Amino acid sequence: MSVANKGFSQRSAWAADQPIGYLMHKALAHPELISLAAGFVDQASLPVEATRSAATALLQSPDMARAALQYGTCAGDDLLRSQILARLRAADGTNAVEPKLEQVVLTAGSNQLLFLLAEALLDPGDIVLCDAPTYFVFMGIVKNMGARAIGIASDEGGMRMDALRVELERLEATRELHKVKAIYVMSSFDNPRAVSLAPERRPQVVEIAKAFSREHLVYVIEDAAYRELRYAGSDAPSVLSHDRACDQVVYAGTFSKSFSPGVRVGFGVLPAPLAAAVLDIKGNFDFGSPHLNQRLVSEAMRLGLYEPHVALLRDVYRGKLAIMLEALDTYLAPLGARYLRPEGGLYVWVELPASVDTAVNAPLFERSVEEGVLYVPGEYFFSHESGVPRSFMRLSFGVQSGERIARGVQGLARAIERTLG
Amino acid sequence: MSVANKGFSQRSAWAADQPIGYLMHKALAHPELISLAAGFVDQASLPVEATRSAATALLQSPDMARAALQYGTCAGDDLLRSQILARLRAADGTNAVEPKLEQVVLTAGSNQLLFLLAEALLDPGDIVLCDAPTYFVFMGIVKNMGARAIGIASDEGGMRMDALRVELERLEATRELHKVKAIYVMSSFDNPRAVSLAPERRPQVVEIAKAFSREHLVYVIEDAAYRELRYAGSDAPSVLSHDRACDQVVYAGTFSKSFSPGVRVGFGVLPAPLAAAVLDIKGNFDFGSPHLNQRLVSEAMRLGLYEPHVALLRDVYRGKLAIMLEALDTYLAPLGARYLRPEGGLYVWVELPASVDTAVNAPLFERSVEEGVLYVPGEYFFSHESGVPRSFMRLSFGVQSGERIARGVQGLARAIERTLG
């Protein structure tokens, strides 16, 4: 018997055909390729010792071990939640707003928080404003809900506040402002450009969100996934720290990049009513992320193993970034490529001469594969309704060794040379 | 500034007001209560030694450790997925269908799988048929999607196939059959009654689902969360094993009950197209459940630590079940209570005399709290549109010690006596 219609939901159709699937398929089918595409973290510096010590300490005491192996709560481990708030206070300074424990929700990576936020906020047809370019998984989440991501012009200081205001005014004029549920910004070393939101724009984005919260609240979702991976310059207080009333900004963080993606603990600091709504949905989803992992991260912090690990990561990635930039200077700059020189994060955003199309179905992509390299085409990071430039690519220096990064960039240079003719 | 409307989604309203919230609030506010309500597992038998050994083995080799601490894939660890299929083959017998690796998806508990299935299948207004009574979290998930759960008469052999057929015919007559996306059955020791689907009904439910797959497939979701917790009698081949074409049945399992809820690894075996749809959504959600936890469970199995642990659990729970039944025989039977004597699972389903209302807003519930005991009112397990009997309660012998189980049942008896007047 065969029934053609599988009976899948509308959501299912919206969720399908994520562009990244093609890339992952390529990577799996050609394991010999040097992937400068994957957003994986450095393999050699994964916290084997720290995890071993934390696991040993955690499992040594039968009482602590049993607590970790039992169900936790939906919001997550209290101790880790306080440790997160303490770290946030330390990073943002003592004058900042002090969110309360009940505003903190632990998730499986910050990605889960983004999905839960989208569930809690977005109806089909709703709108989220984000950078152009922005994190493609976030755009996938928005699409998953049948909602729209509209790209806002963004420069080396992140989202342009004048462009944000103009877009909100336009949406108000076309009577679509009520559909705008959130403004999504990656405040530190964004994906794909490793650009940070300029300090003076941080209070502004909160003010603008407040000003346009007419029929309902327009939230600011501050994705700070890469905040701890800073290799130069100095940190600025979060967007969250400018939300005096604690009612407008969601702060999303994660230990996936700064500790281990396999442990996969992320978190959000949310306005209390939104935290409650997210927990209602999370209660149906998994009634709490794995307790053991939360206790592991908490224990690593308590034992003083976390900070030194982050310091080590900064050194490792600083070195890899330097290698990638040097290779780009040597091999790609002469071909007319331009790129940002980031102070943190895991990516370098490269703009090729306008005649070179980076899309998967354009010649360069296949030639790069022939030369042994994978990159992420820039088109994936732009919302289709906001115009998609074709000459960008994202290169990651996260997972590959220095030697392979350099070799990968050389392969890319050969592919570009062949494409430039 | 205050904006009354929070801008939450329709989903958010559907997800809100889960009945269990009140119970959890009570339990937290009165930690001195003996909770026969919580679905937690036995504390003393949590696998401290096994987890320690598996963690040590896993983290000893730097290469294995790093692999576990890196991102995994969206579908989950290949080795654990094969181990799951091997166990399933062993349980179902060699004549059974052999699902393929790509049909297996690892999730954070089987609950996450149920949510992802609902996302993939249910549009607002869609229908799922389930036992009356059924697992209330599953009904919450269905409600979360704006869909409807319709209860089917169910006896000591689980869902009645005659009643299922009658309801499907009725829905066909009212032109609602196209809304029916799935039939949900807990095949072993269900929640709340610890009833198993009778062996002869297992092929029947597949046949009926096939027969009514007119415009689209009607899936059978077989929730086997408690399958390994059998203390008497013998296991029957799964519903899945009767799905020769591998296109109709989803099998949901978990290591939360049989190993550790804090490690929280669950899984699904799905028809291939549905697995793909679920992975599309999971790709947006968390692109894979924590890799470390999957490797831990896999390692515990490889080291031969899993089977002995399940055997230990069976002994522990067999003893606790006997204590609960003895206390019920002594204290509740004389008051006219009737209850099933389960062969597995974590629950005893009690029916009180018709004059006693078990609802949270009826006198018995408050009196039980006064007598130091919490139970789950039976009403939570029934879909509102299918009629809600008022004299049932679910008692769990999972987390409490034998002594507290006996004391809890005595407290309950006092509360019932006071209510019977």
Side-chain angles (χ1 to χ4, degrees):
Chain A
M1 196 219 66
S2 155
V3 177
N5 184 337
K6 307 258 177 279
F8 294 170
S9 66
Q10 176 60 59
R11 278 275 176 113
S12 170
W14 286 329
D17 301 321
Q18 298 297 348
I20 206 66
Y22 178 80
L23 271 186
M24 288 169 72
H25 180 77
K26 269 281 181 212
L28 284 172
H30 300 279
E32 76 284 2
L33 291 179
I34 295 177
S35 176
L36 300 179
F40 281 24
V41 301
D42 181 64
Q43 189 80 0
S45 61
L46 281 161
V48 176
E49 284 299 331
T51 306
R52 201 185 287 155
S53 305
T56 302
L58 193 62
L59 298 171
Q60 215 152 34
S61 140
D63 279 355
M64 250 170 73
R66 285 190 198 114
L69 293 171
Q70 184 60 276
Y71 285 102
T73 63
C74 194
D77 183 60
D78 279 356
L79 181 53
L80 180 55
R81 289 156 79 211
S82 343
Q83 288 166 317
I84 286 167
L85 284 181
R87 285 186 59 76
L88 207 51
R89 262 196 304 277
D92 279 345
T94 46
N95 284 332
V97 203
E98 298 222 354
K100 296 185 181 56
L101 203 63
E102 69 256 32
Q103 293 180 248
V104 186
V105 176
L106 302 185
T107 48
S110 52
N111 217 82
Q112 195 193 64
L113 180 78
L114 297 178
F115 193 97
L116 290 169
L117 283 171
E119 285 264 10
L121 292 175
L122 301 179
D123 285 315
D126 278 352
I127 294 169
V128 177
L129 305 177
C130 51
D131 289 88
T134 192
Y135 179 37
F136 60 76
V137 176
F138 183 73
M139 281 197 292
I141 291 172
V142 171
K143 175 169 166 275
N144 195 123
M145 309 299 156
R148 298 158 59 195
I150 296 183
I152 304 294
S154 187
D155 57 26
E156 289 181 37
M159 190 181 282
R160 278 178 46 190
M161 291 301 117
D162 55 344
L164 173 62
R165 196 179 282 277
V166 165
E167 181 61 20
L168 283 163
E169 280 163 0
R170 186 190 71 77
L171 288 164
E172 186 161 41
T174 58
R175 295 177 189 281
E176 292 182 288
L177 182 59
H178 68 281
K179 295 183 185 169
V180 178
K181 294 298 185 67
I183 301 162
Y184 173 75
V185 289
M186 298 195 79
S187 51
S188 299
F189 318 119
D190 71 8
N191 183 348
R193 297 169 305 167
V195 149
S196 298
L197 190 63
E200 69 277 11
R201 295 185 192 175
R202 295 177 179 217
Q204 289 167 5
V205 68
V206 182
E207 282 158 30
I208 293 172
K210 273 200 202 302
F212 285 87
S213 289
R214 303 269 161 77
E215 291 178 42
H216 58 73
L217 283 168
V218 175
Y219 294 95
V220 178
I221 301 174
E222 176 182 22
D223 184 339
Y226 298 90
R227 186 176 187 185
E228 307 219 53
L229 300 186
R230 173 180 286 281
Y231 322 128
S234 59
D235 191 40
S238 64
V239 176
L240 177 75
S241 72
H242 298 286
D243 179 23
R244 296 275 149 195
C246 277
D247 65 355
Q248 201 101 28
V249 178
V250 177
Y251 182 95
T254 183
F255 297 100
S256 290
K257 309 297 180 190
S258 59
F259 194 70
S260 154
V263 174
R264 208 132 183 71
V265 175
F267 62 90
V269 182
L270 302 86
L274 186 54
V278 157
L279 287 175
D280 279 341
I281 295 167
K282 191 167 170 60
N284 286 327
F285 195 84
D286 58 13
F287 33 86
S289 293
H291 195 209
L292 176 68
N293 306 241
Q294 300 171 3
R295 297 295 309 120
L296 259 183
V297 172
S298 171
E299 196 60 13
M301 279 189 178
R302 196 186 63 81
L303 294 170
L305 303 168
Y306 179 73
E307 294 295 345
H309 182 70
V310 176
L312 166 74
L313 285 186
R314 288 195 191 109
D315 287 343
V316 168
Y317 287 129
R318 187 183 295 113
K320 286 188 170 192
L321 171 59
I323 290 170
M324 179 170 274
L325 288 174
E326 197 189 313
L328 290 171
D329 292 345
T330 308
Y331 302 104
L332 253 64
L335 302 175
R338 301 188 314 163
Y339 34 89
L340 299 175
R341 304 185 87 86
E343 296 190 323
L346 293 180
Y347 309 109
V348 178
W349 182 243
V350 179
E351 181 174 12
L352 298 180
S355 67
V356 184
D357 188 339
T358 58
V360 281
N361 52 3
L364 179 67
F365 190 83
E366 263 318 310
R367 285 176 190 155
S368 298
V369 170
E370 287 162 20
E371 299 290 352
V373 197
L374 269 182
Y375 63 82
V376 182
E379 58 174 340
Y380 292 168
F381 302 94
F382 292 91
S383 163
H384 281 284
E385 58 182 295
S386 320
V388 179
R390 310 286 287 195
S391 56
F392 290 92
M393 59 171 62
R394 187 194 80 178
L395 301 181
S396 169
F397 52 91
V399 71
Q400 301 296 346
S401 67
E403 185 267 330
R404 283 168 69 85
I405 289 171
R407 207 139 51 81
V409 172
Q410 288 174 56
L412 211 50
R414 288 192 301 273
I416 295 168
E417 265 179 334
R418 285 167 57 193
T419 307
L420 285 170
Chain B
M1 195 219 65
S2 155
V3 176
N5 183 338
K6 307 260 180 275
F8 294 169
S9 66
Q10 177 60 59
R11 280 276 176 112
S12 170
W14 286 329
D17 301 321
Q18 298 297 349
I20 206 65
Y22 179 80
L23 272 186
M24 288 169 70
H25 180 77
K26 269 281 181 211
L28 285 172
H30 300 279
E32 76 285 2
L33 292 179
I34 295 177
S35 176
L36 300 178
F40 282 24
V41 300
D42 181 63
Q43 188 80 1
S45 61
L46 281 161
V48 176
E49 284 301 331
T51 305
R52 201 185 288 155
S53 304
T56 301
L58 193 63
L59 298 171
Q60 213 151 36
S61 139
D63 279 356
M64 251 171 72
R66 286 190 198 114
L69 294 172
Q70 185 59 275
Y71 285 102
T73 63
C74 194
D77 183 60
D78 279 356
L79 181 53
L80 180 56
R81 288 155 78 210
S82 346
Q83 288 167 317
I84 286 168
L85 284 181
R87 286 187 57 78
L88 207 51
R89 263 196 304 276
D92 280 345
T94 46
N95 285 330
V97 204
E98 298 221 354
K100 296 185 182 55
L101 203 63
E102 69 257 31
Q103 293 180 247
V104 186
V105 175
L106 302 185
T107 48
S110 52
N111 215 83
Q112 194 193 67
L113 181 78
L114 297 179
F115 193 97
L116 290 169
L117 283 171
E119 286 264 9
L121 293 175
L122 301 180
D123 285 314
D126 278 352
I127 293 169
V128 178
L129 304 177
C130 50
D131 289 87
T134 192
Y135 179 37
F136 59 77
V137 176
F138 182 73
M139 281 197 292
I141 290 172
V142 171
K143 177 170 166 272
N144 195 124
M145 309 299 157
R148 298 158 59 194
I150 296 183
I152 304 293
S154 186
D155 58 26
E156 290 181 35
M159 190 181 282
R160 279 178 45 190
M161 292 299 117
D162 55 345
L164 174 61
R165 198 179 282 277
V166 164
E167 180 62 19
L168 283 162
E169 281 162 359
R170 186 189 71 78
L171 288 165
E172 186 161 42
T174 58
R175 296 176 188 281
E176 292 181 288
L177 183 59
H178 67 281
K179 294 183 185 169
V180 178
K181 295 299 184 66
I183 301 162
Y184 173 75
V185 289
M186 298 194 80
S187 51
S188 300
F189 319 119
D190 70 7
N191 183 348
R193 298 168 304 169
V195 149
S196 297
L197 190 63
E200 68 276 11
R201 296 185 192 177
R202 295 177 180 218
Q204 289 168 4
V205 68
V206 181
E207 284 157 30
I208 293 173
K210 273 201 201 303
F212 285 87
S213 290
R214 303 269 159 78
E215 292 179 42
H216 58 72
L217 283 168
V218 174
Y219 294 95
V220 179
I221 300 173
E222 175 182 23
D223 184 340
Y226 299 90
R227 186 177 187 185
E228 307 218 54
L229 300 186
R230 174 179 286 280
Y231 323 127
S234 59
D235 191 42
S238 63
V239 176
L240 177 74
S241 72
H242 299 286
D243 179 23
R244 296 275 149 196
C246 277
D247 65 354
Q248 201 101 29
V249 177
V250 177
Y251 182 94
T254 182
F255 298 100
S256 290
K257 310 295 180 190
S258 59
F259 194 71
S260 154
V263 174
R264 207 133 183 69
V265 175
F267 62 90
V269 182
L270 301 85
L274 186 54
V278 158
L279 286 176
D280 278 341
I281 295 168
K282 191 166 169 60
N284 287 327
F285 195 83
D286 59 13
F287 34 85
S289 292
H291 193 210
L292 175 69
N293 306 242
Q294 299 171 5
R295 296 296 310 116
L296 259 183
V297 173
S298 171
E299 196 60 13
M301 282 190 174
R302 196 185 64 81
L303 294 170
L305 303 170
Y306 179 73
E307 294 295 345
H309 182 70
V310 176
L312 166 74
L313 285 186
R314 288 195 191 107
D315 288 343
V316 168
Y317 287 128
R318 187 184 293 113
K320 285 189 172 194
L321 170 59
I323 290 170
M324 180 170 272
L325 288 174
E326 198 190 313
L328 290 171
D329 292 347
T330 310
Y331 302 104
L332 253 63
L335 302 175
R338 302 187 315 162
Y339 35 88
L340 300 175
R341 305 185 87 86
E343 296 190 323
L346 294 180
Y347 309 109
V348 178
W349 182 242
V350 180
E351 181 176 12
L352 298 180
S355 67
V356 184
D357 187 338
T358 58
V360 281
N361 51 4
L364 180 68
F365 191 83
E366 264 317 310
R367 284 176 192 153
S368 297
V369 170
E370 287 162 21
E371 300 290 351
V373 196
L374 270 182
Y375 63 84
V376 183
E379 58 174 341
Y380 292 167
F381 302 94
F382 292 91
S383 162
H384 282 283
E385 58 182 295
S386 319
V388 179
R390 311 285 289 194
S391 57
F392 290 92
M393 59 171 63
R394 187 194 80 179
L395 301 181
S396 168
F397 53 90
V399 70
Q400 301 297 347
S401 67
E403 185 267 330
R404 283 169 68 85
I405 289 171
R407 206 138 52 80
V409 172
Q410 288 175 57
L412 212 48
R414 288 193 300 274
I416 295 168
E417 267 181 332
R418 285 168 56 194
T419 307
L420 286 169

